[in-house]
Amino acid sequence: ETGVTQSPTHLIKTRGQQVTLRCSSQSGHNTVSWYQQALGQGPQFIFQYYREEENGRGNFPPRFSGLQFPNYSSELNVNALELDDSALYLCASSYERGLQETQYFGPGTRLLVL
Amino acid sequence: TQLLEQSPQFLSIQEGENLTVYCNSSSVFSSLQWYRQEPGEGPVLLVTVVTGGEVKKLKRLTFQFGDARKDSSLHITAAQPGDTGLYLCADLNTGTASKLTFGTGTRLQVTL
């Protein structure tokens, strides 16, 4: 039990639609990151938010965007869905940053794009 | 772009056997972390190693970090069905953002 929750657990969308995924972090965790995990692969970093501002982005197009709120919740929005967006989307929160940092992952949202 | 390769990709063993999985990086690790991910769950941190040559033990799990900080191994002694899962190594790079770069993973199945 990491104290990080995500909703919904599963989602089916069609190509071209838009989707919003939600994450609730532990109280006091000012950093939240989002990862995409394709089937059979390790997670890939999408972006990170610190105190409600994006402070880093991986190799993902602008149609992937996010928000972080003062109540330790956050959102991942994906516009113009493509078939390749089908994956498990994980959020992870952390309290302290540094080489010994622990990121606590939620159980993920599994997105299927048809 | 850093590439982390893990081997083997799949491993199926019986309870009580020992096993070792490997992680190799195309560049020096900033901070190496090992995770275990069970079906329907997110990855859970097992250990963080920073110093080359470091060895850490967590019950039946032994983690070794190569002297050159480009490779690592995870050894499990007397595997149990509860060890079943996807084992992921990752590099934690703490630049502007604290970003995890994950390996390809080793999927372990331990049967009775």
Side-chain angles (χ1 to χ4, degrees), chain A residues 94-104, chain B residues 30-33 35 45-51 54 56 65 92-94 98 100:
Chain A
S94 58
Y95 174 65
E96 290 181 342
R97 294 186 53 191
L99 292 177
Q100 297 287 344
E101 176 178 340
T102 298
Q103 294 195 13
Y104 296 89
Chain B
S30 299
S31 174
L32 166 65
Q33 297 189 328
Y35 289 80
L45 180 65
L46 297 173
V47 76
T48 299
V49 284
V50 178
T51 306
E54 190 173 1
K56 281 194 174 180
F65 199 15
L92 174 63
N93 193 308
T94 56
S98 48
L100 284 165

Short mmCIF file of all heavy atoms in Angstrom, two decimals, chain A residues 94-104, chain B residues 30-33 35 45-51 54 56 65 92-94 98 100:
data_model
loop_
_atom_site.label_atom_id
_atom_site.label_comp_id
_atom_site.label_asym_id
_atom_site.label_seq_id
_atom_site.Cartn_x
_atom_site.Cartn_y
_atom_site.Cartn_z
N SER A 94 6.54 11.73 -4.73
CA SER A 94 7.67 11.68 -3.80
C SER A 94 7.69 12.92 -2.94
O SER A 94 7.15 13.97 -3.32
CB SER A 94 8.99 11.50 -4.54
OG SER A 94 9.19 12.55 -5.46
N TYR A 95 8.35 12.79 -1.80
CA TYR A 95 8.43 13.88 -0.83
C TYR A 95 9.75 14.62 -0.95
O TYR A 95 9.79 15.83 -1.09
CB TYR A 95 8.24 13.33 0.58
CG TYR A 95 8.44 14.35 1.67
CD1 TYR A 95 7.58 15.44 1.79
CD2 TYR A 95 9.49 14.23 2.57
CE1 TYR A 95 7.77 16.38 2.78
CE2 TYR A 95 9.68 15.17 3.56
CZ TYR A 95 8.82 16.25 3.66
OH TYR A 95 9.02 17.19 4.64
N GLU A 96 10.83 13.85 -0.88
CA GLU A 96 12.15 14.47 -0.96
C GLU A 96 12.81 14.11 -2.27
O GLU A 96 12.62 13.00 -2.79
CB GLU A 96 13.04 13.95 0.18
CG GLU A 96 12.62 14.44 1.54
CD GLU A 96 13.55 13.90 2.64
OE1 GLU A 96 14.27 12.93 2.38
OE2 GLU A 96 13.52 14.47 3.74
N ARG A 97 13.58 15.00 -2.81
CA ARG A 97 14.30 14.75 -4.05
C ARG A 97 15.78 14.54 -3.74
O ARG A 97 16.32 15.10 -2.79
CB ARG A 97 14.12 15.92 -5.00
CG ARG A 97 12.68 16.08 -5.47
CD ARG A 97 12.57 17.15 -6.52
NE ARG A 97 13.52 16.88 -7.60
CZ ARG A 97 13.79 17.78 -8.56
NH1 ARG A 97 13.23 18.96 -8.55
NH2 ARG A 97 14.65 17.49 -9.51
N GLY A 98 16.41 13.68 -4.54
CA GLY A 98 17.83 13.41 -4.33
C GLY A 98 18.13 11.98 -4.73
O GLY A 98 17.25 11.23 -5.15
N LEU A 99 19.39 11.59 -4.60
CA LEU A 99 19.84 10.28 -5.05
C LEU A 99 19.20 9.13 -4.27
O LEU A 99 19.22 8.00 -4.72
CB LEU A 99 21.36 10.19 -4.97
CG LEU A 99 22.13 11.07 -5.96
CD1 LEU A 99 23.63 10.92 -5.73
CD2 LEU A 99 21.77 10.73 -7.39
N GLN A 100 18.68 9.40 -3.08
CA GLN A 100 18.01 8.37 -2.30
C GLN A 100 16.49 8.52 -2.35
O GLN A 100 15.79 7.95 -1.53
CB GLN A 100 18.48 8.43 -0.84
CG GLN A 100 19.96 8.14 -0.66
CD GLN A 100 20.30 6.67 -0.86
OE1 GLN A 100 19.42 5.82 -0.84
NE2 GLN A 100 21.58 6.38 -1.07
N GLU A 101 16.02 9.26 -3.33
CA GLU A 101 14.59 9.53 -3.43
C GLU A 101 13.79 8.26 -3.63
O GLU A 101 14.18 7.36 -4.37
CB GLU A 101 14.34 10.49 -4.60
CG GLU A 101 12.88 10.80 -4.90
CD GLU A 101 12.74 11.78 -6.04
OE1 GLU A 101 13.72 12.50 -6.32
OE2 GLU A 101 11.67 11.84 -6.65
N THR A 102 12.63 8.18 -3.00
CA THR A 102 11.69 7.09 -3.21
C THR A 102 10.46 7.64 -3.91
O THR A 102 9.83 8.57 -3.40
CB THR A 102 11.27 6.44 -1.89
OG1 THR A 102 12.42 5.89 -1.25
CG2 THR A 102 10.25 5.33 -2.13
N GLN A 103 10.16 7.08 -5.07
CA GLN A 103 8.92 7.44 -5.76
C GLN A 103 7.91 6.34 -5.48
O GLN A 103 8.17 5.16 -5.69
CB GLN A 103 9.17 7.59 -7.27
CG GLN A 103 10.08 8.78 -7.59
CD GLN A 103 10.06 9.18 -9.05
OE1 GLN A 103 9.21 8.75 -9.82
NE2 GLN A 103 10.99 10.04 -9.45
N TYR A 104 6.75 6.74 -5.01
CA TYR A 104 5.69 5.81 -4.66
C TYR A 104 4.69 5.77 -5.82
O TYR A 104 4.08 6.79 -6.16
CB TYR A 104 4.99 6.26 -3.38
CG TYR A 104 5.90 6.25 -2.17
CD1 TYR A 104 6.66 7.37 -1.84
CD2 TYR A 104 6.02 5.11 -1.39
CE1 TYR A 104 7.50 7.36 -0.74
CE2 TYR A 104 6.86 5.09 -0.29
CZ TYR A 104 7.61 6.21 0.03
OH TYR A 104 8.45 6.20 1.11
N SER B 30 23.41 7.19 -12.37
CA SER B 30 23.43 8.24 -11.35
C SER B 30 23.12 7.60 -10.00
O SER B 30 23.87 7.73 -9.04
CB SER B 30 22.41 9.34 -11.67
OG SER B 30 22.70 9.93 -12.91
N SER B 31 22.00 6.93 -9.95
CA SER B 31 21.57 6.24 -8.74
C SER B 31 20.74 5.05 -9.22
O SER B 31 19.73 5.23 -9.91
CB SER B 31 20.72 7.18 -7.88
OG SER B 31 20.18 6.51 -6.77
N LEU B 32 21.16 3.85 -8.88
CA LEU B 32 20.51 2.65 -9.39
C LEU B 32 19.43 2.19 -8.41
O LEU B 32 19.69 2.09 -7.20
CB LEU B 32 21.54 1.54 -9.58
CG LEU B 32 21.00 0.11 -9.78
CD1 LEU B 32 20.23 0.02 -11.08
CD2 LEU B 32 22.11 -0.90 -9.74
N GLN B 33 18.26 1.92 -8.95
CA GLN B 33 17.18 1.40 -8.12
C GLN B 33 16.65 0.11 -8.74
O GLN B 33 16.61 -0.03 -9.96
CB GLN B 33 16.05 2.43 -7.99
CG GLN B 33 16.50 3.71 -7.29
CD GLN B 33 15.34 4.64 -6.96
OE1 GLN B 33 14.34 4.71 -7.66
NE2 GLN B 33 15.47 5.41 -5.87
N TYR B 35 13.19 -2.38 -8.66
CA TYR B 35 11.78 -2.42 -8.32
C TYR B 35 11.22 -3.82 -8.62
O TYR B 35 11.72 -4.54 -9.47
CB TYR B 35 11.00 -1.43 -9.19
CG TYR B 35 11.22 0.02 -8.87
CD1 TYR B 35 12.35 0.69 -9.34
CD2 TYR B 35 10.30 0.74 -8.11
CE1 TYR B 35 12.55 2.04 -9.05
CE2 TYR B 35 10.49 2.08 -7.82
CZ TYR B 35 11.61 2.72 -8.30
OH TYR B 35 11.80 4.05 -8.01
N LEU B 45 9.61 0.01 -4.86
CA LEU B 45 11.05 0.12 -4.69
C LEU B 45 11.57 -0.95 -3.73
O LEU B 45 11.05 -1.11 -2.63
CB LEU B 45 11.41 1.51 -4.17
CG LEU B 45 12.90 1.77 -3.93
CD1 LEU B 45 13.67 1.73 -5.24
CD2 LEU B 45 13.10 3.13 -3.25
N LEU B 46 12.61 -1.67 -4.18
CA LEU B 46 13.27 -2.67 -3.32
C LEU B 46 14.52 -2.09 -2.68
O LEU B 46 14.76 -2.29 -1.48
CB LEU B 46 13.64 -3.90 -4.15
CG LEU B 46 12.48 -4.68 -4.77
CD1 LEU B 46 13.02 -5.78 -5.68
CD2 LEU B 46 11.59 -5.27 -3.69
N VAL B 47 15.35 -1.40 -3.50
CA VAL B 47 16.63 -0.93 -2.98
C VAL B 47 17.15 0.20 -3.85
O VAL B 47 16.80 0.30 -5.03
CB VAL B 47 17.66 -2.09 -2.96
CG1 VAL B 47 18.17 -2.39 -4.36
CG2 VAL B 47 18.80 -1.82 -2.02
N THR B 48 17.98 1.05 -3.25
CA THR B 48 18.71 2.09 -3.97
C THR B 48 20.19 1.89 -3.69
O THR B 48 20.59 1.73 -2.52
CB THR B 48 18.30 3.50 -3.49
OG1 THR B 48 16.91 3.69 -3.75
CG2 THR B 48 19.11 4.57 -4.23
N VAL B 49 21.02 1.89 -4.73
CA VAL B 49 22.48 1.80 -4.56
C VAL B 49 23.11 2.93 -5.33
O VAL B 49 22.70 3.25 -6.45
CB VAL B 49 23.05 0.44 -5.00
CG1 VAL B 49 22.76 -0.62 -3.96
CG2 VAL B 49 22.52 0.01 -6.35
N VAL B 50 24.12 3.53 -4.74
CA VAL B 50 24.75 4.71 -5.32
C VAL B 50 26.25 4.50 -5.56
O VAL B 50 26.80 4.99 -6.55
CB VAL B 50 24.53 5.93 -4.40
CG1 VAL B 50 25.23 7.16 -4.95
CG2 VAL B 50 23.05 6.21 -4.22
N THR B 51 26.90 3.75 -4.68
CA THR B 51 28.36 3.63 -4.71
C THR B 51 28.79 2.40 -5.49
O THR B 51 28.29 1.29 -5.24
CB THR B 51 28.91 3.55 -3.28
OG1 THR B 51 28.44 4.67 -2.52
CG2 THR B 51 30.43 3.54 -3.29
N GLU B 54 29.07 -1.51 -4.33
CA GLU B 54 28.19 -1.66 -3.17
C GLU B 54 27.39 -2.96 -3.26
O GLU B 54 26.96 -3.37 -4.34
CB GLU B 54 27.24 -0.46 -3.10
CG GLU B 54 26.43 -0.35 -1.84
CD GLU B 54 25.65 0.97 -1.78
OE1 GLU B 54 25.72 1.78 -2.72
OE2 GLU B 54 24.95 1.17 -0.77
N LYS B 56 24.08 -4.77 -1.23
CA LYS B 56 23.02 -4.61 -0.23
C LYS B 56 22.20 -5.89 -0.17
O LYS B 56 21.96 -6.53 -1.19
CB LYS B 56 22.11 -3.42 -0.59
CG LYS B 56 22.71 -2.07 -0.23
CD LYS B 56 21.66 -0.99 -0.27
CE LYS B 56 22.22 0.34 0.24
NZ LYS B 56 21.22 1.42 0.20
N PHE B 65 26.27 -3.84 -7.12
CA PHE B 65 26.47 -2.75 -8.05
C PHE B 65 27.89 -2.85 -8.57
O PHE B 65 28.83 -2.94 -7.78
CB PHE B 65 26.24 -1.42 -7.33
CG PHE B 65 25.98 -0.25 -8.21
CD1 PHE B 65 25.63 -0.39 -9.54
CD2 PHE B 65 26.06 1.05 -7.69
CE1 PHE B 65 25.38 0.71 -10.34
CE2 PHE B 65 25.80 2.16 -8.49
CZ PHE B 65 25.46 1.98 -9.81
N LEU B 92 17.91 6.62 -11.51
CA LEU B 92 17.26 7.83 -11.02
C LEU B 92 18.20 8.99 -11.29
O LEU B 92 19.26 9.10 -10.67
CB LEU B 92 16.97 7.72 -9.52
CG LEU B 92 16.43 8.98 -8.86
CD1 LEU B 92 15.07 9.37 -9.45
CD2 LEU B 92 16.31 8.78 -7.35
N ASN B 93 17.80 9.85 -12.21
CA ASN B 93 18.60 11.02 -12.55
C ASN B 93 17.96 12.25 -11.94
O ASN B 93 16.82 12.58 -12.29
CB ASN B 93 18.68 11.17 -14.08
CG ASN B 93 19.73 12.16 -14.48
OD1 ASN B 93 19.75 13.28 -14.00
ND2 ASN B 93 20.63 11.75 -15.36
N THR B 94 18.66 12.88 -11.01
CA THR B 94 18.07 14.02 -10.29
C THR B 94 18.61 15.34 -10.83
O THR B 94 19.39 16.01 -10.17
CB THR B 94 18.32 13.90 -8.79
OG1 THR B 94 19.74 13.80 -8.58
CG2 THR B 94 17.65 12.70 -8.22
N SER B 98 13.42 14.81 -11.24
CA SER B 98 13.94 13.51 -10.80
C SER B 98 13.27 12.44 -11.65
O SER B 98 12.12 12.08 -11.41
CB SER B 98 13.69 13.28 -9.32
OG SER B 98 12.37 13.59 -8.99
N LEU B 100 13.11 8.73 -13.64
CA LEU B 100 13.50 7.33 -13.65
C LEU B 100 13.54 6.83 -15.09
O LEU B 100 12.57 6.98 -15.83
CB LEU B 100 12.51 6.50 -12.85
CG LEU B 100 12.60 6.59 -11.33
CD1 LEU B 100 11.35 6.01 -10.68
CD2 LEU B 100 13.84 5.85 -10.82
#
